[in-house]
C-alpha cells in the first residue's frame, strides 16, 4: 500500500520522454537472422506481456529486441525505449497497444542502491498495467552476470520470474546452421564496404569459435566484427577466438593512424558521455572540451594531450558501424566490448591521468596488468580518496585486486598508515548495504587484505565485531541473497546469529 501511494504520487509529477525512432533506425541492419532465441522471446512476450532476454555480451540481445519491435505483429503499436525506473512508473497509465523496451537492465555496478526502486517499479508496472490489460508489453534485455546477482538481492521468489518471463541464451544456444546463417548474412551485408573474399571458410571459423578462450563474447558480435573489418591483415580467426584482443588492437590502430588526434579525442569524449549517461554535440569542439573539463579538471585535459576537438562529428561518421553507432543523432560506442577496449587503451597510454580522474564505473573494469612499482602510488592515492568517500565495495571490486601483488602492496601500505584504516571501519555508502571493509574483503575473496584488517581491528579492540562482519561476508559470497538478512548491521549478536544459522543454496 505504501509503495502504491508513493508511486502514484510520483507518477503525477513525472513526465516521460519518448525515445524510439532513432534507436530502432540505428540497429536496423537488414541482415538479422530469426533464431530459436528470437522466436522464443517473441512468444513469451506475446503470451505473458513481459519478456526478459538474458545472455552474455555479444549474444545478440539488443538485435533480437529491436527486431521484435520492428516485427509485423507490433506494426501499429506505439514503441518506447526507456532508461530509468522513473520513466517506467510514469508510463503506468499509458495507452493501449504500447511496447516498452528497457536495454541492459541493472547494468553497471551490481550493488547500486537504485536496485530496489527498479524492482518495486517493475512489480508495480506488471500488476498495474501489463497483467490486467494485455495490450501493454514490456521487453527487457539483461546480462547474465548482472541479472544473477541483482535478482538474488530483490526477488522474494526468484523462481516466479524465472518461470514466467525469463528467456536465457543458454536455453537456446545457436546451432551450427544458425551460426552459418548469421555469418553469411553479415558477410553479404558488408561486402560492398569491405570487399571480403568469397572464399571465406565459414565452417572453419565456426569451429574455431567453439574452441575460443573468450566464450563470454557471443558469436553474433564476432561475426559482425569479422564482416566489417576492412583490413585483410586484421580479418582472421582471432576475432572469434580472442575478440577482446582484436578490439583492443583495432582501437589502437584507428588512433595511431590518425595523425591529427581527432579519433583519440572523440573516443575519450564518448567514453565519458557513456559513463555519465549524457550527450554532447560533437559539432562543437569547445563544448566537448568544456564537458570533459567539468567532469574532471583542466589538469586532466593537459595530461591527456595531444587532443584535437575539431571535426569530431565527421570522424564519428567515418567510424560509424565499425566502432560507433548513431542513436537518434547521437554517437555512442557500439558495444560494451568497445567501451572496455577504449578504456584499456587510455589506461596503457595515460596511466596517471586515467587513475586520477576516470569515473569508478570505468576504472574498476581496467585489468591493470603488470603495473610498475613506481605507478602503484598513484593507484593508492585514488584508492584512499574513494575509501574516504566510503565507496568501499566499489573500490574492493576493482579488477586490479585480482593481482596478488597489488593486494600485498595495499596491505604493506596499511601497516605504514594505520590512520587510513579508520576509514575502512566506516559503513560503505556505494552499495546501500552499509557493511564495512572487513565484510567486503571477505565476500570478494581478498584474504591478505582481510587478514590485515583483522590485525588492526584487534589492536583497536574491534576484533569480535569485525570477525562476524567477515564471516557474514563469507556467507554472502556463497549465497548472494543472504546479504539482506541482517537487519541491524551494527549489532554483533544479530551478525553472529546470521552466521550460525546460515545454510548454503544446497541446504547445508
Amino acid at each position: 500500500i505504501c509503495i502504491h501511494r508513493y508511486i502514484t504520487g510520483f507518477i503525477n509529477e513525472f513526465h516521460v520522454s519518448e525515445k524510439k525512432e532513432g534507436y530502432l533506425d540505428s540497429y536496423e541492419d537488414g541482415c538479422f537472422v530469426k533464431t530459436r532465441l528470437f522466436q522464443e522471446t517473441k512468444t513469451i512476450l506475446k503470451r505473458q506481456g513481459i519478456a526478459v532476454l538474458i545472455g552474455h555480451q555479444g549474444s545478440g540481445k539488443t538485435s533480437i529486441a529491436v527486431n521484435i519491435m520492428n516485427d509485423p505483429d507490433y506494426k501499429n503499436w506505439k514503441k518506447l525505449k526507456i532508461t530509468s525506473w522513473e520513466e517506467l512508473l510514469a508510463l503506468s497509465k499509458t495507452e493501449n497497444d504500447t511496447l516498452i523496451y528497457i536495454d541492459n537492465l541493472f547494468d553497471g555496478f551490481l550493488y547500486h542502491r537504485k536496485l530496489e526502486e527498479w524492482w518495486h517499479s517493475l512489480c508495480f508496472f506488471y500488476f498495474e498495467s501489463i497483467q490486467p490489460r494485455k495490450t501493454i508489453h514490456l521487453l527487457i534485455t539483461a546480462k547474465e552476470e548482472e541479472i544473477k546477482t541483482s535478482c538474488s538481492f530483490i526477488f522474494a521468489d526468484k523462481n516466479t520470474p524465472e518461470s514466467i518471463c525469463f528467456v536465457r541464451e543458454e536455453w537456446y544456444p545457436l546451432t551450427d546452421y544458425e551460426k552459418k546463417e548469421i555469418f553469411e548474412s553479415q558477410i553479404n551485408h558488408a561486402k560492398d564496404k569491405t570487399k571480403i573474399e568469397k572464399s571465406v571458410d565459414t565452417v572453419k571459423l565456426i569451429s574455431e569459435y567453439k574452441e575460443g578462450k573468450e566464450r563470454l563474447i557471443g558469436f553474433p558480435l564476432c561475426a559482425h566484427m569479422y564482416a566489417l573489418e576492412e583490413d585483410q591483415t586484421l580479418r582472421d580467426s582471432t576475432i572469434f577466438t580472442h575478440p577482446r584482443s582484436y578490439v583492443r588492437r583495432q582501437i589502437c590502430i584507428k588512433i595511431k593512424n590518425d595523425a591529427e588526434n581527432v579519433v583519440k579525442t572523440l573516443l575519450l569524449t564518448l567514453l565519458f558521455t557513456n559513463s555519465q549517461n549524457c550527450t554532447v554535440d560533437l559539432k562543437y569542439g569547445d563544448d566537448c572540451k568544456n564537458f570533459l573539463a567539468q567532469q574532471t579538471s583542466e589538469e586532466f585535459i593537459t595530461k591527456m594531450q595531444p587532443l584535437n576537438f575539431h571535426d569530431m562529428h565527421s570522424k564519428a561518421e567515418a567510424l560509424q558501424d565499425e566502432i560507433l553507432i548513431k542513436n537518434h543523432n547521437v554517437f555512442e560506442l557500439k558495444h560494451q566490448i568497445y567501451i572496455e577496449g577504449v578504456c584499456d587503451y587510455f589506461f596503457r597510454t595515460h596511466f596517471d591521468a586515467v587513475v586520477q580522474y576516470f569515473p569508478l564505473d570505468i576504472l574498476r573494469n581496467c585489468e591493470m596488468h603488470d603495473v610498475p612499482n613506481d605507478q602503484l602510488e598513484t593507484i593508492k592515492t585514488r584508492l584512499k580518496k574513494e575509501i574516504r568517500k566510503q565507496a568501499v565495495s566499489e573500490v574492493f571490486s576493482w579488477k586490479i585486486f585480482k593481482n596478488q601483488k597489488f593486494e600485498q602492496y595495499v596491505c604493506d601500505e596499511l601497516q605504514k598508515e594505520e590512520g587510513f584504516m579508520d576509514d575502512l571501519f566506516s559503513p560503505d555508502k556505494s552499495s546501500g548495504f552499509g557493511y564495512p571493509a572487513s565484510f567486503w574483503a571477505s565476500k570478494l575473496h581478498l584474504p591478505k587484505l582481510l587478514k590485515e584488517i583483522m590485525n588492526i581491528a584487534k589492536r583497536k579492540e574491534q576484533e569480535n565485531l569485525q570477525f562476524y562482519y567477515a564471516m557474514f561476508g563469507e556467507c554472502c559470497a556463497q549465497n548472494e541473497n543472504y546479504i539482506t538478512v541482517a537487519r541491524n548491521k551494527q549489532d554483533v549478536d544479530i551478525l553472529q546469529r546470521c552466521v550460525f544459522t546460515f545454510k548454503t543454496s544446497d541446504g547445508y
Side-chain angles (χ1 to χ4, degrees):
I1 294 174
C2 291
I3 292 173
H4 189 280
R5 288 174 179 169
Y6 161 75
I7 289 174
T8 303
F10 179 88
I11 291 171
N12 293 334
E13 300 178 5
F14 192 88
H15 176 68
V16 68
S17 59
E18 184 170 337
K19 309 169 185 177
K20 185 259 298 185
E21 288 84 359
Y23 190 81
L24 292 181
D25 292 342
S26 65
Y27 280 93
E28 183 60 49
D29 56 15
C31 58
F32 180 71
V33 174
K34 295 183 178 181
T35 62
R36 294 180 303 153
L37 184 60
F38 165 84
Q39 298 291 358
E40 184 62 21
T41 304
K42 180 182 169 184
T43 298
I44 294 296
L45 181 63
K46 296 283 284 185
R47 181 192 306 154
Q48 305 292 358
I50 180 173
V52 183
L53 175 55
I54 303 167
H56 295 300
Q57 283 192 51
S59 57
K61 301 186 299 296
T62 300
S63 182
I64 287 174
V66 168
N67 278 277
I68 287 176
M69 295 176 79
N70 283 327
D71 191 86
D73 286 353
Y74 289 101
K75 180 179 179 180
N76 297 318
W77 285 47
K78 182 178 181 180
K79 291 134 188 174
L80 301 173
K81 179 179 182 290
I82 65 172
T83 57
S84 69
W85 61 272
E86 294 96 332
E87 289 179 303
L88 182 63
L89 292 186
L91 289 169
S92 63
K93 301 298 182 182
T94 192
E95 60 194 63
N96 290 338
D97 294 342
T98 299
L99 174 57
I100 301 165
Y101 174 43
I102 303 173
D103 192 29
N104 281 330
L105 181 68
F106 303 141
D107 203 13
F109 189 50
L110 289 175
Y111 302 109
H112 199 282
R113 65 189 86 176
K114 295 295 183 184
L115 210 58
E116 195 167 317
E117 283 91 336
W118 262 116
W119 172 236
H120 289 318
S121 303
L122 288 166
C123 289
F124 177 84
F125 191 82
Y126 176 75
F127 289 110
E128 183 79 6
S129 303
I130 296 175
Q131 192 180 56
R133 297 168 67 180
K134 308 298 183 184
T135 55
I136 308 295
H137 288 179
L138 178 60
L139 178 59
I140 298 171
T141 62
K143 294 188 182 75
E144 176 67 44
E145 58 272 22
E146 304 250 349
I147 205 76
K148 177 181 178 181
T149 304
S150 300
C151 291
S152 296
F153 298 151
I154 56 181
F155 286 165
D157 178 9
K158 62 183 180 181
N159 292 325
T160 299
E162 183 90 23
S163 61
I164 291 177
C165 60
F166 281 7
V167 185
R168 296 186 180 275
E169 169 203 359
E170 63 188 52
W171 295 346
Y172 304 93
L174 293 174
T175 64
D176 283 353
Y177 176 79
E178 288 175 331
K179 290 177 184 176
K180 183 175 180 292
E181 289 287 299
I182 290 170
F183 184 76
E184 292 180 348
S185 179
Q186 290 287 349
I187 293 291
N188 290 332
H189 183 70
K191 63 182 179 182
D192 293 335
K193 180 177 181 179
T194 59
K195 299 179 182 179
I196 295 177
E197 297 178 359
K198 294 183 178 179
S199 58
V200 175
D201 192 340
T202 305
V203 175
K204 182 175 182 293
L205 288 172
I206 290 175
S207 174
E208 287 174 338
Y209 171 77
K210 291 180 180 179
E211 299 171 0
K213 296 181 179 179
E214 296 184 19
R215 291 289 303 280
L216 295 185
I217 302 299
F219 181 87
L221 178 59
C222 293
H224 178 72
M225 293 190 297
Y226 186 98
L228 284 177
E229 180 52 65
E230 298 182 18
D231 189 339
Q232 291 285 350
T233 62
L234 294 179
R235 192 187 298 122
D236 56 32
S237 61
T238 302
I239 296 175
F240 291 87
T241 57
H242 296 83
R244 286 191 172 89
S245 299
Y246 161 74
V247 168
R248 289 196 294 267
R249 181 173 50 159
Q250 183 189 31
I251 288 169
C252 287
I253 291 173
K254 293 293 183 185
I255 294 175
K256 182 180 179 181
N257 289 345
D258 178 26
E260 296 179 345
N261 295 298
V262 179
V263 172
K264 172 187 173 183
T265 311
L266 169 66
L267 296 181
L268 178 65
T269 302
L270 295 180
L271 192 63
F272 271 76
T273 58
N274 180 85
S275 170
Q276 303 304 311
N277 195 25
C278 59
T279 60
V280 291
D281 193 333
L282 298 176
K283 295 179 181 178
Y284 302 100
D286 289 341
D287 290 350
C288 295
K289 182 177 180 180
N290 291 335
F291 165 76
L292 281 181
Q294 290 170 3
Q295 298 297 319
T296 55
S297 73
E298 292 290 347
E299 181 186 12
F300 173 78
I301 302 296
T302 301
K303 286 187 174 185
M304 297 300 293
Q305 295 296 333
L307 296 173
N308 184 351
F309 290 90
H310 299 293
D311 204 31
M312 288 201 298
H313 189 273
S314 297
K315 193 66 71 173
E317 292 278 5
L319 292 175
Q320 188 175 347
D321 293 333
E322 283 189 85
I323 294 177
L324 307 180
I325 191 168
K326 194 174 184 180
N327 180 4
H328 205 51
N329 295 320
V330 174
F331 287 96
E332 301 172 353
L333 290 157
K334 65 185 298 182
H335 198 278
Q336 178 65 29
I337 192 174
Y338 287 93
I339 296 174
E340 294 170 2
V342 171
C343 185
D344 180 80
Y345 169 83
F346 286 115
F347 174 77
R348 293 178 183 277
T349 57
H350 296 276
F351 178 87
D352 286 347
V354 165
V355 172
Q356 288 181 54
Y357 293 107
F358 266 33
L360 270 186
D361 64 312
I362 299 177
L363 185 60
R364 68 188 184 86
N365 287 313
C366 290
E367 296 289 348
M368 300 188 183
H369 293 303
D370 305 320
V371 178
N373 290 334
D374 60 345
Q375 293 181 330
L376 288 174
E377 184 67 25
T378 305
I379 299 179
K380 187 189 78 170
T381 301
R382 178 64 185 274
L383 183 147
K384 291 170 62 176
K385 175 183 176 182
E386 297 300 334
I387 287 178
R388 288 200 176 100
K389 291 162 59 176
Q390 294 176 261
V392 177
S393 58
E394 284 199 347
V395 169
F396 281 13
S397 68
W398 283 7
K399 287 186 178 179
I400 193 174
F401 274 104
K402 294 181 180 179
N403 184 331
Q404 293 185 0
K405 174 184 174 183
F406 180 75
E407 187 181 354
Q408 184 60 57
Y409 168 78
V410 173
C411 292
D412 294 341
E413 292 302 307
L414 290 177
Q415 294 176 3
K416 299 176 186 177
E417 302 182 45
E418 188 165 328
F420 171 44
M421 203 58 209
D422 292 336
D423 296 312
L424 291 178
F425 289 140
S426 300
D428 169 58
K429 289 185 176 180
S430 58
S431 66
F433 290 108
Y435 298 116
S438 53
F439 170 89
W440 294 105
S442 177
K443 185 182 184 302
L444 298 171
H445 306 297
L446 304 174
K448 295 179 181 179
L449 189 57
L450 177 60
K451 181 178 179 181
E452 192 57 41
I453 292 172
M454 294 307 300
N455 286 339
I456 299 176
K458 185 175 182 180
R459 295 196 294 271
K460 291 181 174 293
E461 298 183 351
Q462 292 191 31
E463 184 179 17
N464 194 42
L465 177 60
Q466 298 304 321
F467 170 78
Y468 281 106
Y469 273 132
M471 292 298 294
F472 186 57
E474 177 63 28
C475 295
C476 295
Q478 296 183 53
N479 185 352
E480 289 281 1
N481 66 342
Y482 207 63
I483 199 171
T484 60
V485 171
R487 298 302 180 188
N488 187 338
K489 300 174 178 60
Q490 304 296 325
D491 191 319
V492 66
D493 292 333
I494 290 178
L495 290 170
Q496 186 183 63
R497 192 177 306 118
C498 290
V499 170
F500 287 163
T501 58
F502 173 72
K503 292 183 179 180
T504 66
S505 57
D506 296 330
Y508 294 100

